[in-house]
Amino acid sequence: MGMEIERKWMVQGWPEGYPLRKEEEMRQGYVSVRPTVRIREEKLRVSGEGAPLKDEFILCFKSKGRLSRKEIEFPIEEARFRELEDLIGLPLIPKLRRTYLLPDGHQLEVNHVDEGAPTEFWYAEVEFRSEDEARAFDPASVGLGAYLTDDVTEQPGQSMGAYWTATRLQQA
């Protein structure tokens, strides 16, 4: 079991001037949002690291929390993913994620969610090794002071699980 420690910002568009590490097309859905049990299909489309382009199917469990939470994530076979997708029975959430390398060595993950839908939005995340490091991070120190202005890390209702509930479960 790992610990996920990350900050989250609402943003508009892709940042400019940072090396692109990878681009992934994703679709994700939730078996449960309390606790979080998520499936995700990840299609790697661009890799600045020379990694082969491939598709992965992931099952993830997350504890409650905002800045940090426990996370168990592992690959599953495509057939198992399709069974879980069928069990969920709702349209999965499409996301396009671009991961950029920051000057301090961190990675910035920027996500465009539900493109073309009335509810589409953008958000960015940076993962950290500790809560202290996360709290000390200043976007201006890596040239993102004007881009990462709307920090929603500690705000309730800002998770993808909450978005799933609002746009999939309550619409069903």
Side-chain angles (χ1 to χ4, degrees), residues 43-60:
K43 296 181 176 187
L44 183 61
R45 293 297 170 241
V46 174
S47 173
E49 302 165 353
L53 303 185
K54 60 179 179 172
D55 297 349
E56 290 187 317
F57 302 90
I58 308 293
L59 178 60
C60 180

Side-chain angles (χ1 to χ4, degrees), residues 16-169:
E16 295 182 14
Y18 296 88
L20 180 65
R21 298 290 302 267
K22 62 183 172 180
E23 180 178 280
E24 300 163 285
E25 292 176 16
M26 301 177 170
R27 292 184 325 119
Q28 68 185 50
Y30 294 78
V31 176
S32 169
V33 292
R34 288 191 186 95
T36 298
V37 180
R38 179 190 74 207
I39 60 170
R40 180 186 286 160
E41 176 181 26
E42 300 177 353
K43 296 181 176 187
L44 183 61
R45 293 297 170 241
V46 174
S47 173
E49 302 165 353
L53 303 185
K54 60 179 179 172
D55 297 349
E56 290 187 317
F57 302 90
I58 308 293
L59 178 60
C60 180
F61 301 84
K62 293 186 181 193
S63 70
K64 62 183 176 179
R66 295 195 180 107
L67 177 63
S68 62
R69 55 190 177 164
K70 296 175 185 169
E71 178 181 67
I72 302 169
E73 186 174 275
F74 53 89
I76 59 174
E77 295 177 5
E78 181 177 358
R80 183 70 63 218
F81 174 88
R82 300 285 176 225
E83 289 173 346
L84 289 167
E85 180 181 15
D86 184 59
L87 177 74
I88 291 169
L90 296 168
L92 301 187
I93 300 169
K95 293 196 314 187
L96 181 62
R97 172 180 289 167
R98 291 183 181 168
T99 303
Y100 300 92
L101 181 62
L102 298 180
D104 67 356
H106 286 101
Q107 293 188 61
L108 175 72
E109 296 177 340
V110 180
N111 299 271
H112 189 190
V113 179
D114 259 350
E115 183 177 1
T119 55
E120 83 177 294
F121 69 100
W122 299 75
Y123 73 95
E125 295 175 323
V126 176
E127 290 194 18
F128 301 93
R129 291 179 293 277
S130 72
E131 288 188 5
D132 288 342
E133 180 188 18
R135 287 188 183 96
F137 178 76
D138 177 10
S141 70
V142 291
L144 291 170
Y147 183 70
L148 299 179
T149 59
D150 187 9
D151 188 338
V152 297
T153 304
E154 297 290 352
Q155 293 180 18
Q158 294 297 324
S159 69
M160 285 299 297
Y163 181 74
W164 171 264
T165 299
T167 63
R168 301 320 195 256
L169 291 181

